[in-house]
């Protein structure tokens, strides 16, 4: 029993601990396979729309998919077995992603007609498998800066998105009243969709104002809304900058306690002592 | 008489004073109902366009609307009665919004044929009712920062919007001369609308230059206008940043008079005294 | 002779000197009439396209135009007469604008068939008259900040616009090669127009890539170009900020020589001496 | 042998050394001819699509092209001969560009039917010749700032572009699942192309969501993605600013060792000593 526990512990350190070289390599390998798998799904989707797949082609893609699924199933089982607290992994974001992206194949094997019967199910399976790309995020610990920038400014961000939401609803309702269903503003929600597409300057052009008052209101809305909608962008950027500076400030020389080292510095420029590796870099 | 006055005063503090817990809760309740009411209007608008409403569905939406209107009427009356200076409330922005958004139902009850006779009136009523969403803004005192940033930079903003307006008129007139009605630039105002839609990078594509000189002028206009149109965005962002810093600087420790506390700090990091709650946070 | 010179000098100070109250008021009056005149032209253009103008309507617009033209002719003559160095005014930017915007009517009076014979000439005259809106710029001395920001960073701006131009030419040529005339990329210049419209995120959608390699190249171009095209915006904004700070720094208290006064301050906050009016504010 | 080496050395200094006046002038001359050559190609492309070229016109363009090609061939040979290490030039970026842009004519002379037989080859040759415009980049040493800003922030940039790539793949897959081929989202790669075009706010409108859930997801994607996609822009701008400051800081007065001189300063403002010419300015 102790032996198994020790083995699990050792395996965890060998395969999943990001502080060991083997752990980082195993993660990179999983990421590489996730990337390859997603590229295969994209090619399959591209060919499958242009030509009808021949049986041989379909066979080849099926085989590849079986291979990838087996690999990711193995990875999932290893993670469940080795994790210090398996339940925590299983119910975490990564646990769900790792499980969900191996399920489609098993669903097809258990219920082979589903893809033929329901076109939506066929598409949904492809979409779920594409989520494997998210595994690559594990290779980017530096994104923690972005994440903590968003978390730290969540009050401001929620406030601004709520404010933008209210402005969009009012602007959409106004245009719905002015232009009306004749000019494409069929429902209130369509008008709000138009307002979001317009003020963010996406401007598809599928719905556009056609009357003179509608165009006037739209012009004013664009000019003013445009100056306000960039505020969340500004908040995230400012928070990220201060996050980077804080991180830099937190890296202290263990010998002379000097701060503010260059992010790429390996040795303290005051006393020459080796600096600790930066967190999340 | 005094008793009524005292009751009014007490009711005001109980229901509307944002410094009391009950006041904040009552405001949140009003906001919640405003949100629910707007969601119902959106659903009604969505269903009403896709299918024709059955009598039962119409009945249900009507009942919901009667309920919401009664509630908001009660809120309006309470505000008029309790407010220290009722006239000031009635003629304020919020007084107009609160009154206008309860009127549509009473108009329909008094003049039931209006919605059937005039499609525009029917739409206008929906639009007015959607304005209830603005009540949610009362829950966001922190938007005062944005508002005072805009007020403080109003001279610069008016100047820049006037400048952008002149540039747009000249650009629109130029393209009207070059492209002409054949290519969609039918009137001068249409061309100015095109110029605004283009320089803000919305780019619907409903009106586009088709001739070589028109495309050349449009390209130059885009490249140069693009660098100028972001100036109001920059002004508002810069003003907001300085507003936030000022607010932070204004929060002084009552004991040791230290400034520049973290916005989320509850206690002075110099002497441990409890800090006053930040204004508008 | 001396009397005339003195009269000219006095008239100049009375009507055109921006440091006197009457001068500022006369400028504002000219601006107001320019604005009114342009609004009339816009209304004429709008009505003239929707309905055919009746003779009475055409008569009314003609009368208004004659009135405006006479007024602006008087303004032009006064300026030519009173200006200290008339030649310098006549050959300046404002001299050209003031002259050009009164010419269309005289051209029509001298050669009445031109508008009937050449549609383009008719449009050109309208466009030229719209340029009256530029007179409003005289009322905005604070735009000097923007102008000097652009002039000060002209080396960087020219460099960047040239760089962006080269990138656009290469990107356009690449897409011309990949997509070809079949997909709308008919000539090299059309492709460059597409590249500018795309990278500035205007995205009309009149020309779009249709092949898989074209879409891939377009996606990469958008993502990378997008990060580079904002640089001129950044340069102008940064220069304007430093311009504002310099201007603030240049305002020195005449008594205690203190600098860095608030732009709205009228008195020195150090010694209470009245501060000189800020330049171009 | 020594004489030839000396001649090569002298020619190199005379023609290509950017520190000599003749070197800068020769570079400017080459740039000018590159620009002229590209303008000719654009005119040829524009005329060739609108009308069929007459034999005389085709002859004129051919002659011009022969002239330009001979000139650039001479330039290439001179560079190969004079360069201190010819191999390093030949295998450098500029070596490839200089060689590739003279090849199309020789290919046509050797194999005259290629342009007639393969339309794609005809277009490819035009595209390759347009790359001559890149020679102008040699005239812009100040772009080194931009280049080193990009190189210095390459870790962050790669990270963010990879992150944006993952977000785009997930967003595209999601929309592919929701909207499906019926609404234009035919394949997974088309959906990712849509996601990139949308989140960067280009918004062509060739593919747009048509269902209510699709529009809701698209709206959320736009609002959130919009705040994240500007981060690389921010990184490059910030890096460029610090690059400019560093460059300024690096310019030291040789006499009094003062730093931080104005970029346009020619003499030290502390002691009047002539300052060294700024690098890459």
């Amino acid at each position: 029993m102790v032996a198994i526990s020790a083995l699990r512990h050792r395996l965890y350190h060998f395969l999943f601990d990001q502080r060991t070289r083997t752990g980082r390599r195993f993660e990179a390998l999983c990421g590489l396979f996730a990337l390859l798998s997603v590229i295969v799904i994209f090619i399959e989707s591209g060919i499958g729309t242009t030509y009808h797949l021949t049986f041989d082609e379909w066979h080849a893609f099926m085989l590849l998919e079986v291979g990838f699924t087996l690999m990711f199933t193995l990875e999932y089982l290893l993670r469940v077995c080795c994790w210090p607290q398996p339940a925590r992994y299983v119910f975490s974001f990564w646990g769900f992603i790792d499980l969900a992206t191996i399920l489609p194949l098993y669903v097809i094997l258990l219920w082979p007609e589903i893809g033929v019967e329901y076109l939506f199910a066929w598409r949904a399976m492809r979409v779920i498998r594409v989520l494997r790309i998210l595994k690559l995020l594990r290779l980017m610990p530096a994104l923690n800066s972005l994440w903590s920038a968003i978390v730290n400014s969540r009050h401001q961000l929620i406030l601004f998105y709520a404010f933008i939401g209210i402005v969009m609803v009012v602007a959409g309702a106004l245009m719905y009243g002015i232009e009306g269903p004749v000019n494409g503003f069929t429902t209130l929600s369509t008008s709000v969709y138009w307002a979001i597409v317009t003020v963010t300057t996406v401007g598809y052009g599928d719905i556009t104002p056609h009357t003179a008052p509608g165009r006037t209101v739209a012009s004013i809305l664009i000019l003013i809304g445009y100056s306000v909608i960039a505020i969340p962008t500004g908040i995230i950027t400012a928070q990220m900058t201060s996050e980077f500076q804080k991180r830099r400030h937190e890296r202290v020389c263990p010998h002379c306690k000097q701060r503010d080292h260059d992010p790429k510095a390996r040795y303290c420029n005051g006393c020459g002592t080796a600096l600790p590796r930066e967190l999340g870099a």
Side-chain angles (χ1 to χ4, degrees), chain A residues 16-274:
Chain A
F16 302 115
D17 194 337
Q18 292 301 300
R19 285 166 298 182
T20 66
R21 174 175 286 189
T22 50
R24 286 198 294 275
R25 284 202 179 155
F26 186 75
E27 201 71 282
L29 196 80
C30 289
L32 185 73
F33 276 111
L35 190 62
L36 281 175
S37 156
V38 170
I39 290 170
V40 166
I41 299 166
F42 268 79
I43 293 170
E44 184 196 344
S45 155
I47 295 175
T49 316
T50 330
Y51 329 95
H52 273 279
L53 286 178
T54 61
F55 185 77
D56 278 3
E57 278 170 355
W58 183 82
H59 206 70
F61 281 117
M62 202 65 193
L63 268 182
L64 272 169
E65 182 55 32
V66 168
F68 282 123
T69 305
L70 285 181
M71 211 133 48
F72 292 126
T73 310
L74 187 71
E75 185 208 346
Y76 183 70
L77 293 177
L78 271 173
R79 278 181 198 268
V80 170
C81 293
C82 303
W83 226 254
Q85 292 154 297
R88 251 181 111 173
Y89 165 70
V90 170
F91 295 106
S92 73
F93 173 72
W94 294 119
F96 277 113
I97 291 291
D98 287 345
L99 182 60
T101 57
I102 54 176
L103 283 184
L105 191 76
Y106 297 114
V107 172
I108 288 180
L109 292 180
L110 288 172
W111 187 13
E113 318 87 57
I114 185 168
V116 184
E117 281 173 29
Y118 306 102
L119 258 172
F120 180 79
W122 189 240
R123 264 192 355 245
M125 273 171 209
R126 241 184 221 156
V127 172
I128 290 169
R129 283 188 288 148
V130 167
L131 295 183
R132 283 173 194 160
I133 196 93
L134 288 171
K135 291 185 185 219
L136 283 174
L137 289 181
R138 280 191 194 130
L139 298 174
M140 303 179 182
L143 280 181
N144 289 334
S145 295
L146 177 63
W147 185 245
S148 60
I150 291 171
V151 168
N152 279 340
S153 51
R154 66 187 177 284
H155 293 294
Q156 290 183 303
L157 287 177
I158 290 169
L159 182 76
F160 267 107
Y161 283 123
F163 175 63
I164 288 169
I166 292 171
V167 172
M168 291 299 127
V169 166
V170 171
L174 218 67
M175 290 298 286
Y176 171 77
I178 294 171
E179 291 273 327
V182 181
N183 296 309
F185 293 76
T186 46
T187 61
L188 279 168
S189 12
T190 308
S191 303
V192 171
Y193 160 75
W194 170 86
I196 292 172
V197 165
T198 296
V199 173
T200 52
T201 78
V202 172
Y204 284 131
D206 50 351
I207 308 164
T208 51
H210 286 90
T211 65
R215 284 178 171 177
T216 313
V217 170
S219 300
I220 295 168
L221 179 69
I222 293 169
L223 281 175
I224 294 180
Y226 183 61
S227 313
V228 172
I229 208 138
I231 293 177
T233 316
I235 292 172
I236 292 180
T237 313
Q239 196 73 37
M240 274 207 67
T241 316
S242 87
E243 199 73 19
F244 275 129
Q245 283 176 344
K246 211 174 100 192
R247 221 154 257 248
R248 198 172 163 172
H249 193 68
E250 273 168 359
R251 206 171 163 220
V252 189
C253 169
H255 183 71
C256 70
K257 310 295 174 205
Q258 197 186 311
R259 281 157 188 278
D260 248 334
H261 296 286
D262 195 89
K264 275 170 281 180
R266 291 196 182 175
Y267 295 94
C268 172
N269 59 5
C271 63
T273 314

